[in-house]
PDB file of all heavy atoms in Angstrom:
ATOM      1  N   ARG V  72       0.797  -1.236   0.028  1.00  0.00           N
ATOM      2  CA  ARG V  72       0.019  -0.010  -0.004  1.00  0.00           C
ATOM      3  C   ARG V  72       0.829   1.282   0.006  1.00  0.00           C
ATOM      4  O   ARG V  72       0.259   2.394  -0.256  1.00  0.00           O
ATOM      5  CB  ARG V  72      -0.937   0.026   1.227  1.00  0.00           C
ATOM      6  CG  ARG V  72      -2.021  -1.072   1.288  1.00  0.00           C
ATOM      7  CD  ARG V  72      -2.895  -0.847   2.484  1.00  0.00           C
ATOM      8  NE  ARG V  72      -3.667   0.327   2.407  1.00  0.00           N
ATOM      9  CZ  ARG V  72      -3.466   1.404   3.181  1.00  0.00           C
ATOM     10  NH1 ARG V  72      -2.529   1.370   4.117  1.00  0.00           N
ATOM     11  NH2 ARG V  72      -4.201   2.499   3.018  1.00  0.00           N
ATOM     12  N   LEU V  73       2.135   1.139   0.240  1.00  0.00           N
ATOM     13  CA  LEU V  73       2.935   2.404   0.469  1.00  0.00           C
ATOM     14  C   LEU V  73       4.255   2.290  -0.283  1.00  0.00           C
ATOM     15  O   LEU V  73       4.925   1.294  -0.283  1.00  0.00           O
ATOM     16  CB  LEU V  73       3.245   2.596   1.960  1.00  0.00           C
ATOM     17  CG  LEU V  73       2.078   2.792   2.889  1.00  0.00           C
ATOM     18  CD1 LEU V  73       2.480   2.716   4.366  1.00  0.00           C
ATOM     19  CD2 LEU V  73       1.356   4.166   2.621  1.00  0.00           C
ATOM     20  N   PHE V  74       4.663   3.404  -0.844  1.00  0.00           N
ATOM     21  CA  PHE V  74       6.009   3.502  -1.512  1.00  0.00           C
ATOM     22  C   PHE V  74       6.482   4.971  -1.428  1.00  0.00           C
ATOM     23  O   PHE V  74       5.762   5.858  -1.340  1.00  0.00           O
ATOM     24  CB  PHE V  74       5.991   2.915  -2.948  1.00  0.00           C
ATOM     25  CG  PHE V  74       5.255   3.828  -3.944  1.00  0.00           C
ATOM     26  CD1 PHE V  74       6.000   4.501  -4.907  1.00  0.00           C
ATOM     27  CD2 PHE V  74       3.904   3.941  -3.974  1.00  0.00           C
ATOM     28  CE1 PHE V  74       5.370   5.264  -5.865  1.00  0.00           C
ATOM     29  CE2 PHE V  74       3.215   4.707  -4.922  1.00  0.00           C
ATOM     30  CZ  PHE V  74       3.991   5.438  -5.850  1.00  0.00           C
ATOM     31  N   ARG V  75       7.822   5.022  -1.551  1.00  0.00           N
ATOM     32  CA  ARG V  75       8.476   6.313  -1.614  1.00  0.00           C
ATOM     33  C   ARG V  75       9.218   6.442  -2.909  1.00  0.00           C
ATOM     34  O   ARG V  75       9.734   5.427  -3.454  1.00  0.00           O
ATOM     35  CB  ARG V  75       9.501   6.415  -0.453  1.00  0.00           C
ATOM     36  CG  ARG V  75      10.332   7.719  -0.459  1.00  0.00           C
ATOM     37  CD  ARG V  75      11.596   7.578   0.393  1.00  0.00           C
ATOM     38  NE  ARG V  75      12.554   6.716  -0.254  1.00  0.00           N
ATOM     39  CZ  ARG V  75      13.685   6.292   0.254  1.00  0.00           C
ATOM     40  NH1 ARG V  75      13.964   6.605   1.520  1.00  0.00           N
ATOM     41  NH2 ARG V  75      14.564   5.501  -0.418  1.00  0.00           N
ATOM     42  N   PHE V  76       9.298   7.659  -3.428  1.00  0.00           N
ATOM     43  CA  PHE V  76      10.145   7.870  -4.647  1.00  0.00           C
ATOM     44  C   PHE V  76      10.796   9.199  -4.563  1.00  0.00           C
ATOM     45  O   PHE V  76      10.293  10.138  -3.922  1.00  0.00           O
ATOM     46  CB  PHE V  76       9.332   7.763  -5.934  1.00  0.00           C
ATOM     47  CG  PHE V  76       8.113   8.641  -6.040  1.00  0.00           C
ATOM     48  CD1 PHE V  76       8.258   9.813  -6.836  1.00  0.00           C
ATOM     49  CD2 PHE V  76       6.924   8.350  -5.517  1.00  0.00           C
ATOM     50  CE1 PHE V  76       7.144  10.658  -6.978  1.00  0.00           C
ATOM     51  CE2 PHE V  76       5.812   9.147  -5.642  1.00  0.00           C
ATOM     52  CZ  PHE V  76       5.919  10.364  -6.426  1.00  0.00           C
ATOM     53  N   ARG V  77      11.949   9.331  -5.179  1.00  0.00           N
ATOM     54  CA  ARG V  77      12.738  10.589  -5.221  1.00  0.00           C
ATOM     55  C   ARG V  77      12.890  10.923  -6.717  1.00  0.00           C
ATOM     56  O   ARG V  77      12.888  10.101  -7.628  1.00  0.00           O
ATOM     57  CB  ARG V  77      14.051  10.421  -4.518  1.00  0.00           C
ATOM     58  CG  ARG V  77      13.911  10.291  -3.065  1.00  0.00           C
ATOM     59  CD  ARG V  77      15.225  10.062  -2.425  1.00  0.00           C
ATOM     60  NE  ARG V  77      15.093   9.947  -0.916  1.00  0.00           N
ATOM     61  CZ  ARG V  77      15.969   9.405  -0.101  1.00  0.00           C
ATOM     62  NH1 ARG V  77      17.094   8.861  -0.626  1.00  0.00           N
ATOM     63  NH2 ARG V  77      15.799   9.421   1.161  1.00  0.00           N
ATOM     64  N   THR V  78      12.980  12.246  -6.912  1.00  0.00           N
ATOM     65  CA  THR V  78      13.108  12.802  -8.286  1.00  0.00           C
ATOM     66  C   THR V  78      14.186  13.905  -8.340  1.00  0.00           C
ATOM     67  O   THR V  78      14.646  14.406  -7.299  1.00  0.00           O
ATOM     68  CB  THR V  78      11.819  13.357  -8.798  1.00  0.00           C
ATOM     69  OG1 THR V  78      11.573  14.628  -8.164  1.00  0.00           O
ATOM     70  CG2 THR V  78      10.672  12.445  -8.568  1.00  0.00           C
ATOM     71  N   THR V  79      14.610  14.214  -9.560  1.00  0.00           N
ATOM     72  CA  THR V  79      15.472  15.334  -9.701  1.00  0.00           C
ATOM     73  C   THR V  79      14.759  16.605  -9.308  1.00  0.00           C
ATOM     74  O   THR V  79      13.454  16.622  -9.207  1.00  0.00           O
ATOM     75  CB  THR V  79      15.893  15.541 -11.170  1.00  0.00           C
ATOM     76  OG1 THR V  79      14.672  15.581 -11.982  1.00  0.00           O
ATOM     77  CG2 THR V  79      16.686  14.230 -11.641  1.00  0.00           C
ATOM     78  N   ARG V  80      15.515  17.677  -8.954  1.00  0.00           N
ATOM     79  CA  ARG V  80      14.873  18.935  -8.630  1.00  0.00           C
ATOM     80  C   ARG V  80      15.302  20.004  -9.613  1.00  0.00           C
ATOM     81  O   ARG V  80      16.576  20.308  -9.623  1.00  0.00           O
ATOM     82  CB  ARG V  80      15.237  19.258  -7.191  1.00  0.00           C
ATOM     83  CG  ARG V  80      14.733  20.649  -6.778  1.00  0.00           C
ATOM     84  CD  ARG V  80      15.071  21.007  -5.322  1.00  0.00           C
ATOM     85  NE  ARG V  80      14.604  22.308  -4.956  1.00  0.00           N
ATOM     86  CZ  ARG V  80      14.690  22.861  -3.715  1.00  0.00           C
ATOM     87  NH1 ARG V  80      15.228  22.088  -2.784  1.00  0.00           N
ATOM     88  NH2 ARG V  80      14.288  24.126  -3.515  1.00  0.00           N
ATOM     89  N   PRO V  81      14.410  20.559 -10.335  1.00  0.00           N
ATOM     90  CA  PRO V  81      14.782  21.659 -11.211  1.00  0.00           C
ATOM     91  C   PRO V  81      15.407  22.849 -10.495  1.00  0.00           C
ATOM     92  O   PRO V  81      15.011  23.151  -9.382  1.00  0.00           O
ATOM     93  CB  PRO V  81      13.452  22.076 -11.860  1.00  0.00           C
ATOM     94  CG  PRO V  81      12.561  20.858 -11.708  1.00  0.00           C
ATOM     95  CD  PRO V  81      12.979  20.301 -10.421  1.00  0.00           C
ATOM     96  N   SER V  82      16.387  23.383 -11.074  1.00  0.00           N
ATOM     97  CA  SER V  82      17.139  24.444 -10.353  1.00  0.00           C
ATOM     98  C   SER V  82      16.229  25.643 -10.043  1.00  0.00           C
ATOM     99  O   SER V  82      16.439  26.392  -9.125  1.00  0.00           O
ATOM    100  CB  SER V  82      18.296  24.943 -11.216  1.00  0.00           C
ATOM    101  OG  SER V  82      17.908  25.364 -12.479  1.00  0.00           O
ATOM    102  N   SER V  83      15.170  25.824 -10.843  1.00  0.00           N
ATOM    103  CA  SER V  83      14.278  26.959 -10.624  1.00  0.00           C
ATOM    104  C   SER V  83      13.176  26.734  -9.605  1.00  0.00           C
ATOM    105  O   SER V  83      12.452  27.627  -9.297  1.00  0.00           O
ATOM    106  CB  SER V  83      13.545  27.303 -11.993  1.00  0.00           C
ATOM    107  OG  SER V  83      12.805  26.204 -12.423  1.00  0.00           O
ATOM    108  N   PHE V  84      13.058  25.455  -9.175  1.00  0.00           N
ATOM    109  CA  PHE V  84      11.955  25.110  -8.264  1.00  0.00           C
ATOM    110  C   PHE V  84      12.296  25.489  -6.803  1.00  0.00           C
ATOM    111  O   PHE V  84      13.264  24.932  -6.181  1.00  0.00           O
ATOM    112  CB  PHE V  84      11.613  23.648  -8.347  1.00  0.00           C
ATOM    113  CG  PHE V  84      10.436  23.246  -7.551  1.00  0.00           C
ATOM    114  CD1 PHE V  84       9.145  23.664  -7.909  1.00  0.00           C
ATOM    115  CD2 PHE V  84      10.521  22.399  -6.433  1.00  0.00           C
ATOM    116  CE1 PHE V  84       8.039  23.291  -7.194  1.00  0.00           C
ATOM    117  CE2 PHE V  84       9.455  22.019  -5.687  1.00  0.00           C
ATOM    118  CZ  PHE V  84       8.165  22.480  -6.111  1.00  0.00           C
ATOM    119  N   ARG V  85      11.490  26.342  -6.200  1.00  0.00           N
ATOM    120  CA  ARG V  85      11.717  26.701  -4.793  1.00  0.00           C
ATOM    121  C   ARG V  85      10.382  26.413  -3.975  1.00  0.00           C
ATOM    122  O   ARG V  85       9.275  26.568  -4.501  1.00  0.00           O
ATOM    123  CB  ARG V  85      11.969  28.242  -4.679  1.00  0.00           C
ATOM    124  CG  ARG V  85      13.212  28.683  -5.413  1.00  0.00           C
ATOM    125  CD  ARG V  85      14.467  28.290  -4.597  1.00  0.00           C
ATOM    126  NE  ARG V  85      15.691  28.807  -5.238  1.00  0.00           N
ATOM    127  CZ  ARG V  85      16.341  28.120  -6.134  1.00  0.00           C
ATOM    128  NH1 ARG V  85      15.956  26.897  -6.545  1.00  0.00           N
ATOM    129  NH2 ARG V  85      17.447  28.612  -6.634  1.00  0.00           N
ATOM    130  N   PHE V  86      10.562  26.002  -2.749  1.00  0.00           N
ATOM    131  CA  PHE V  86       9.379  25.674  -1.835  1.00  0.00           C
ATOM    132  C   PHE V  86       9.849  25.827  -0.435  1.00  0.00           C
ATOM    133  O   PHE V  86      11.007  25.886  -0.127  1.00  0.00           O
ATOM    134  CB  PHE V  86       8.866  24.292  -2.136  1.00  0.00           C
ATOM    135  CG  PHE V  86       9.862  23.160  -1.691  1.00  0.00           C
ATOM    136  CD1 PHE V  86       9.684  22.502  -0.476  1.00  0.00           C
ATOM    137  CD2 PHE V  86      10.841  22.734  -2.518  1.00  0.00           C
ATOM    138  CE1 PHE V  86      10.508  21.504  -0.046  1.00  0.00           C
ATOM    139  CE2 PHE V  86      11.720  21.681  -2.101  1.00  0.00           C
ATOM    140  CZ  PHE V  86      11.531  21.093  -0.848  1.00  0.00           C
ATOM    141  N   ARG V  87       8.837  25.980   0.418  1.00  0.00           N
ATOM    142  CA  ARG V  87       9.085  25.987   1.849  1.00  0.00           C
ATOM    143  C   ARG V  87       8.888  24.566   2.406  1.00  0.00           C
ATOM    144  O   ARG V  87       7.867  23.899   1.984  1.00  0.00           O
ATOM    145  CB  ARG V  87       8.128  27.018   2.531  1.00  0.00           C
ATOM    146  CG  ARG V  87       8.365  28.406   2.180  1.00  0.00           C
ATOM    147  CD  ARG V  87       7.356  29.335   2.854  1.00  0.00           C
ATOM    148  NE  ARG V  87       5.966  29.078   2.441  1.00  0.00           N
ATOM    149  CZ  ARG V  87       4.931  29.691   3.003  1.00  0.00           C
ATOM    150  NH1 ARG V  87       5.070  30.437   4.059  1.00  0.00           N
ATOM    151  NH2 ARG V  87       3.721  29.421   2.515  1.00  0.00           N
ATOM    152  N   SER V  88       9.636  24.200   3.311  1.00  0.00           N
ATOM    153  CA  SER V  88       9.450  22.895   3.942  1.00  0.00           C
ATOM    154  C   SER V  88       8.047  22.704   4.463  1.00  0.00           C
ATOM    155  O   SER V  88       7.585  23.618   5.139  1.00  0.00           O
ATOM    156  CB  SER V  88      10.457  22.691   5.059  1.00  0.00           C
ATOM    157  OG  SER V  88      11.809  22.660   4.583  1.00  0.00           O
ATOM    158  N   GLY V  89       7.390  21.573   4.106  1.00  0.00           N
ATOM    159  CA  GLY V  89       6.017  21.356   4.578  1.00  0.00           C
ATOM    160  C   GLY V  89       4.961  21.565   3.472  1.00  0.00           C
ATOM    161  O   GLY V  89       3.829  21.252   3.651  1.00  0.00           O
ATOM    162  N   GLU V  90       5.386  22.217   2.352  1.00  0.00           N
ATOM    163  CA  GLU V  90       4.437  22.519   1.319  1.00  0.00           C
ATOM    164  C   GLU V  90       4.165  21.303   0.446  1.00  0.00           C
ATOM    165  O   GLU V  90       4.856  20.316   0.450  1.00  0.00           O
ATOM    166  CB  GLU V  90       4.906  23.688   0.441  1.00  0.00           C
ATOM    167  CG  GLU V  90       4.858  25.004   1.112  1.00  0.00           C
ATOM    168  CD  GLU V  90       5.198  26.177   0.161  1.00  0.00           C
ATOM    169  OE1 GLU V  90       6.156  26.099  -0.585  1.00  0.00           O
ATOM    170  OE2 GLU V  90       4.451  27.183   0.264  1.00  0.00           O
ATOM    171  N   PHE V  91       3.089  21.354  -0.385  1.00  0.00           N
ATOM    172  CA  PHE V  91       2.779  20.370  -1.326  1.00  0.00           C
ATOM    173  C   PHE V  91       2.841  20.914  -2.737  1.00  0.00           C
ATOM    174  O   PHE V  91       2.822  22.110  -2.993  1.00  0.00           O
ATOM    175  CB  PHE V  91       1.429  19.646  -1.018  1.00  0.00           C
ATOM    176  CG  PHE V  91       0.219  20.516  -1.246  1.00  0.00           C
ATOM    177  CD1 PHE V  91      -0.371  20.611  -2.557  1.00  0.00           C
ATOM    178  CD2 PHE V  91      -0.352  21.160  -0.205  1.00  0.00           C
ATOM    179  CE1 PHE V  91      -1.519  21.451  -2.712  1.00  0.00           C
ATOM    180  CE2 PHE V  91      -1.512  21.921  -0.369  1.00  0.00           C
ATOM    181  CZ  PHE V  91      -2.030  22.086  -1.652  1.00  0.00           C
ATOM    182  N   VAL V  92       2.819  20.014  -3.724  1.00  0.00           N
ATOM    183  CA  VAL V  92       2.876  20.458  -5.091  1.00  0.00           C
ATOM    184  C   VAL V  92       1.972  19.427  -5.926  1.00  0.00           C
ATOM    185  O   VAL V  92       1.796  18.311  -5.485  1.00  0.00           O
ATOM    186  CB  VAL V  92       4.372  20.458  -5.632  1.00  0.00           C
ATOM    187  CG1 VAL V  92       4.895  19.038  -5.744  1.00  0.00           C
ATOM    188  CG2 VAL V  92       4.447  21.152  -7.002  1.00  0.00           C
ATOM    189  N   MET V  93       1.542  19.874  -7.021  1.00  0.00           N
ATOM    190  CA  MET V  93       0.723  19.011  -7.898  1.00  0.00           C
ATOM    191  C   MET V  93       1.710  18.189  -8.828  1.00  0.00           C
ATOM    192  O   MET V  93       2.457  18.854  -9.580  1.00  0.00           O
ATOM    193  CB  MET V  93      -0.262  19.828  -8.743  1.00  0.00           C
ATOM    194  CG  MET V  93      -1.203  20.705  -7.972  1.00  0.00           C
ATOM    195  SD  MET V  93      -2.260  19.787  -6.817  1.00  0.00           S
ATOM    196  CE  MET V  93      -3.345  18.986  -8.026  1.00  0.00           C
ATOM    197  N   ILE V  94       1.634  16.847  -8.734  1.00  0.00           N
ATOM    198  CA  ILE V  94       2.453  16.089  -9.604  1.00  0.00           C
ATOM    199  C   ILE V  94       1.474  15.128 -10.382  1.00  0.00           C
ATOM    200  O   ILE V  94       0.356  14.904  -9.938  1.00  0.00           O
ATOM    201  CB  ILE V  94       3.511  15.260  -8.873  1.00  0.00           C
ATOM    202  CG1 ILE V  94       2.953  14.271  -7.952  1.00  0.00           C
ATOM    203  CG2 ILE V  94       4.466  16.223  -8.123  1.00  0.00           C
ATOM    204  CD1 ILE V  94       3.999  13.352  -7.331  1.00  0.00           C
ATOM    205  N   GLY V  95       2.008  14.609 -11.505  1.00  0.00           N
ATOM    206  CA  GLY V  95       1.091  13.711 -12.336  1.00  0.00           C
ATOM    207  C   GLY V  95       1.764  13.031 -13.458  1.00  0.00           C
ATOM    208  O   GLY V  95       2.992  13.061 -13.551  1.00  0.00           O
ATOM    209  N   LEU V  96       0.937  12.392 -14.246  1.00  0.00           N
ATOM    210  CA  LEU V  96       1.432  11.674 -15.444  1.00  0.00           C
ATOM    211  C   LEU V  96       0.465  12.037 -16.556  1.00  0.00           C
ATOM    212  O   LEU V  96      -0.634  12.523 -16.345  1.00  0.00           O
ATOM    213  CB  LEU V  96       1.343  10.154 -15.195  1.00  0.00           C
ATOM    214  CG  LEU V  96       2.291   9.593 -14.060  1.00  0.00           C
ATOM    215  CD1 LEU V  96       1.961   8.143 -13.805  1.00  0.00           C
ATOM    216  CD2 LEU V  96       3.758   9.782 -14.453  1.00  0.00           C
ATOM    217  N   MET V  97       0.905  11.729 -17.789  1.00  0.00           N
ATOM    218  CA  MET V  97       0.013  11.764 -18.960  1.00  0.00           C
ATOM    219  C   MET V  97      -0.852  10.499 -18.994  1.00  0.00           C
ATOM    220  O   MET V  97      -0.218   9.414 -19.080  1.00  0.00           O
ATOM    221  CB  MET V  97       0.779  11.977 -20.208  1.00  0.00           C
ATOM    222  CG  MET V  97       1.584  13.245 -20.259  1.00  0.00           C
ATOM    223  SD  MET V  97       0.545  14.727 -20.417  1.00  0.00           S
ATOM    224  CE  MET V  97      -0.127  14.542 -22.030  1.00  0.00           C
ATOM    225  N   ILE V  98      -2.112  10.609 -18.848  1.00  0.00           N
ATOM    226  CA  ILE V  98      -3.009   9.433 -18.900  1.00  0.00           C
ATOM    227  C   ILE V  98      -3.902   9.614 -20.140  1.00  0.00           C
ATOM    228  O   ILE V  98      -4.685  10.539 -20.256  1.00  0.00           O
ATOM    229  CB  ILE V  98      -3.910   9.377 -17.651  1.00  0.00           C
ATOM    230  CG1 ILE V  98      -2.973   9.421 -16.359  1.00  0.00           C
ATOM    231  CG2 ILE V  98      -4.687   8.076 -17.615  1.00  0.00           C
ATOM    232  CD1 ILE V  98      -2.028   8.263 -16.201  1.00  0.00           C
ATOM    233  N   ASP V  99      -3.792   8.628 -21.049  1.00  0.00           N
ATOM    234  CA  ASP V  99      -4.570   8.729 -22.291  1.00  0.00           C
ATOM    235  C   ASP V  99      -4.423  10.050 -22.948  1.00  0.00           C
ATOM    236  O   ASP V  99      -5.407  10.603 -23.471  1.00  0.00           O
ATOM    237  CB  ASP V  99      -6.013   8.388 -21.980  1.00  0.00           C
ATOM    238  CG  ASP V  99      -6.224   6.952 -21.459  1.00  0.00           C
ATOM    239  OD1 ASP V  99      -5.485   6.064 -21.820  1.00  0.00           O
ATOM    240  OD2 ASP V  99      -7.193   6.776 -20.609  1.00  0.00           O
ATOM    241  N   GLY V 100      -3.242  10.534 -22.977  1.00  0.00           N
ATOM    242  CA  GLY V 100      -2.939  11.780 -23.699  1.00  0.00           C
ATOM    243  C   GLY V 100      -3.266  12.980 -22.994  1.00  0.00           C
ATOM    244  O   GLY V 100      -3.098  14.133 -23.570  1.00  0.00           O
ATOM    245  N   LYS V 101      -3.706  12.948 -21.794  1.00  0.00           N
ATOM    246  CA  LYS V 101      -4.088  14.128 -20.963  1.00  0.00           C
ATOM    247  C   LYS V 101      -3.333  14.083 -19.576  1.00  0.00           C
ATOM    248  O   LYS V 101      -3.179  13.033 -18.989  1.00  0.00           O
ATOM    249  CB  LYS V 101      -5.543  14.162 -20.750  1.00  0.00           C
ATOM    250  CG  LYS V 101      -6.402  14.317 -22.030  1.00  0.00           C
ATOM    251  CD  LYS V 101      -7.857  14.341 -21.644  1.00  0.00           C
ATOM    252  CE  LYS V 101      -8.720  14.473 -22.918  1.00  0.00           C
ATOM    253  NZ  LYS V 101     -10.151  14.472 -22.613  1.00  0.00           N
ATOM    254  N   PRO V 102      -2.937  15.256 -19.130  1.00  0.00           N
ATOM    255  CA  PRO V 102      -2.239  15.290 -17.849  1.00  0.00           C
ATOM    256  C   PRO V 102      -3.224  15.037 -16.623  1.00  0.00           C
ATOM    257  O   PRO V 102      -4.340  15.670 -16.698  1.00  0.00           O
ATOM    258  CB  PRO V 102      -1.649  16.660 -17.791  1.00  0.00           C
ATOM    259  CG  PRO V 102      -2.522  17.491 -18.670  1.00  0.00           C
ATOM    260  CD  PRO V 102      -2.998  16.571 -19.716  1.00  0.00           C
ATOM    261  N   LEU V 103      -2.873  14.207 -15.745  1.00  0.00           N
ATOM    262  CA  LEU V 103      -3.681  13.985 -14.536  1.00  0.00           C
ATOM    263  C   LEU V 103      -2.786  14.220 -13.324  1.00  0.00           C
ATOM    264  O   LEU V 103      -1.736  13.704 -13.179  1.00  0.00           O
ATOM    265  CB  LEU V 103      -4.184  12.575 -14.473  1.00  0.00           C
ATOM    266  CG  LEU V 103      -5.000  12.195 -13.227  1.00  0.00           C
ATOM    267  CD1 LEU V 103      -6.340  12.984 -13.177  1.00  0.00           C
ATOM    268  CD2 LEU V 103      -5.275  10.664 -13.213  1.00  0.00           C
ATOM    269  N   TYR V 104      -3.215  15.168 -12.397  1.00  0.00           N
ATOM    270  CA  TYR V 104      -2.435  15.691 -11.312  1.00  0.00           C
ATOM    271  C   TYR V 104      -3.107  15.318  -9.982  1.00  0.00           C
ATOM    272  O   TYR V 104      -4.403  15.294  -9.964  1.00  0.00           O
ATOM    273  CB  TYR V 104      -2.211  17.203 -11.357  1.00  0.00           C
ATOM    274  CG  TYR V 104      -1.446  17.698 -12.595  1.00  0.00           C
ATOM    275  CD1 TYR V 104      -2.141  18.162 -13.708  1.00  0.00           C
ATOM    276  CD2 TYR V 104      -0.063  17.749 -12.501  1.00  0.00           C
ATOM    277  CE1 TYR V 104      -1.439  18.662 -14.799  1.00  0.00           C
ATOM    278  CE2 TYR V 104       0.663  18.260 -13.633  1.00  0.00           C
ATOM    279  CZ  TYR V 104      -0.066  18.694 -14.740  1.00  0.00           C
ATOM    280  OH  TYR V 104       0.647  19.164 -15.803  1.00  0.00           O
ATOM    281  N   ARG V 105      -2.356  15.105  -8.996  1.00  0.00           N
ATOM    282  CA  ARG V 105      -2.850  15.066  -7.607  1.00  0.00           C
ATOM    283  C   ARG V 105      -1.840  15.789  -6.742  1.00  0.00           C
ATOM    284  O   ARG V 105      -0.675  16.005  -7.061  1.00  0.00           O
ATOM    285  CB  ARG V 105      -2.947  13.578  -7.155  1.00  0.00           C
ATOM    286  CG  ARG V 105      -4.011  12.777  -7.818  1.00  0.00           C
ATOM    287  CD  ARG V 105      -5.415  13.203  -7.408  1.00  0.00           C
ATOM    288  NE  ARG V 105      -6.451  12.356  -7.940  1.00  0.00           N
ATOM    289  CZ  ARG V 105      -7.069  12.578  -9.092  1.00  0.00           C
ATOM    290  NH1 ARG V 105      -6.701  13.602  -9.907  1.00  0.00           N
ATOM    291  NH2 ARG V 105      -7.971  11.755  -9.565  1.00  0.00           N
ATOM    292  N   ALA V 106      -2.329  16.277  -5.547  1.00  0.00           N
ATOM    293  CA  ALA V 106      -1.510  17.034  -4.632  1.00  0.00           C
ATOM    294  C   ALA V 106      -0.683  16.085  -3.792  1.00  0.00           C
ATOM    295  O   ALA V 106      -1.156  15.125  -3.241  1.00  0.00           O
ATOM    296  CB  ALA V 106      -2.403  17.823  -3.708  1.00  0.00           C
ATOM    297  N   TYR V 107       0.573  16.302  -3.776  1.00  0.00           N
ATOM    298  CA  TYR V 107       1.592  15.488  -3.001  1.00  0.00           C
ATOM    299  C   TYR V 107       2.382  16.389  -2.161  1.00  0.00           C
ATOM    300  O   TYR V 107       3.052  17.402  -2.593  1.00  0.00           O
ATOM    301  CB  TYR V 107       2.480  14.664  -3.891  1.00  0.00           C
ATOM    302  CG  TYR V 107       1.939  13.343  -4.226  1.00  0.00           C
ATOM    303  CD1 TYR V 107       0.993  13.157  -5.306  1.00  0.00           C
ATOM    304  CD2 TYR V 107       2.453  12.182  -3.627  1.00  0.00           C
ATOM    305  CE1 TYR V 107       0.522  11.948  -5.627  1.00  0.00           C
ATOM    306  CE2 TYR V 107       1.933  10.907  -3.950  1.00  0.00           C
ATOM    307  CZ  TYR V 107       0.967  10.828  -5.013  1.00  0.00           C
ATOM    308  OH  TYR V 107       0.529   9.592  -5.293  1.00  0.00           O
ATOM    309  N   SER V 108       2.433  16.160  -0.821  1.00  0.00           N
ATOM    310  CA  SER V 108       3.403  16.834   0.050  1.00  0.00           C
ATOM    311  C   SER V 108       4.794  16.544  -0.356  1.00  0.00           C
ATOM    312  O   SER V 108       5.102  15.361  -0.653  1.00  0.00           O
ATOM    313  CB  SER V 108       3.159  16.477   1.515  1.00  0.00           C
ATOM    314  OG  SER V 108       1.921  16.978   1.975  1.00  0.00           O
ATOM    315  N   ILE V 109       5.661  17.547  -0.282  1.00  0.00           N
ATOM    316  CA  ILE V 109       7.081  17.246  -0.581  1.00  0.00           C
ATOM    317  C   ILE V 109       7.762  16.827   0.741  1.00  0.00           C
ATOM    318  O   ILE V 109       7.800  17.576   1.735  1.00  0.00           O
ATOM    319  CB  ILE V 109       7.757  18.530  -1.112  1.00  0.00           C
ATOM    320  CG1 ILE V 109       6.984  19.075  -2.346  1.00  0.00           C
ATOM    321  CG2 ILE V 109       9.234  18.289  -1.412  1.00  0.00           C
ATOM    322  CD1 ILE V 109       7.440  20.495  -2.771  1.00  0.00           C
ATOM    323  N   ALA V 110       8.269  15.639   0.707  1.00  0.00           N
ATOM    324  CA  ALA V 110       8.823  15.005   1.935  1.00  0.00           C
ATOM    325  C   ALA V 110      10.272  15.479   2.147  1.00  0.00           C
ATOM    326  O   ALA V 110      10.775  15.225   3.322  1.00  0.00           O
ATOM    327  CB  ALA V 110       8.698  13.536   1.939  1.00  0.00           C
ATOM    328  N   SER V 111      10.943  16.009   1.163  1.00  0.00           N
ATOM    329  CA  SER V 111      12.291  16.451   1.363  1.00  0.00           C
ATOM    330  C   SER V 111      12.307  17.911   1.894  1.00  0.00           C
ATOM    331  O   SER V 111      11.348  18.644   1.634  1.00  0.00           O
ATOM    332  CB  SER V 111      13.114  16.383   0.079  1.00  0.00           C
ATOM    333  OG  SER V 111      12.308  16.895  -1.000  1.00  0.00           O
ATOM    334  N   PRO V 112      13.300  18.305   2.615  1.00  0.00           N
ATOM    335  CA  PRO V 112      13.313  19.674   3.108  1.00  0.00           C
ATOM    336  C   PRO V 112      13.719  20.687   1.981  1.00  0.00           C
ATOM    337  O   PRO V 112      14.184  20.308   0.916  1.00  0.00           O
ATOM    338  CB  PRO V 112      14.450  19.635   4.168  1.00  0.00           C
ATOM    339  CG  PRO V 112      15.378  18.551   3.712  1.00  0.00           C
ATOM    340  CD  PRO V 112      14.463  17.524   3.099  1.00  0.00           C
ATOM    341  N   ALA V 113      13.480  21.959   2.271  1.00  0.00           N
ATOM    342  CA  ALA V 113      13.651  22.993   1.230  1.00  0.00           C
ATOM    343  C   ALA V 113      15.098  23.057   0.731  1.00  0.00           C
ATOM    344  O   ALA V 113      15.292  23.528  -0.406  1.00  0.00           O
ATOM    345  CB  ALA V 113      13.253  24.357   1.820  1.00  0.00           C
TER     346      ALA V 113
END
């Protein structure tokens, strides 16, 4: 039921520790997003 993943961080991306961001995939040719808290610190 649970997994963790890490990704690259664009140099232009800034956030405050504790914030969330919309992430997603292309599903049937359309983007689908959900809100995910960023688990790494700023």
Side-chain angles (χ1 to χ4, degrees):
R72 296 183 65 250
L73 299 170
F74 72 109
R75 178 198 71 187
F76 59 98
R77 292 177 177 159
T78 73
T79 56
R80 176 178 178 175
S82 59
S83 61
F84 184 69
R85 298 286 184 270
F86 69 97
R87 293 179 296 171
S88 295
E90 289 189 315
F91 68 86
V92 69
M93 304 299 291
I94 66 173
L96 298 171
M97 295 294 289
I98 308 296
D99 297 328
K101 297 179 181 179
L103 178 64
Y104 298 95
R105 291 290 186 270
Y107 271 79
S108 291
I109 304 169
S111 45

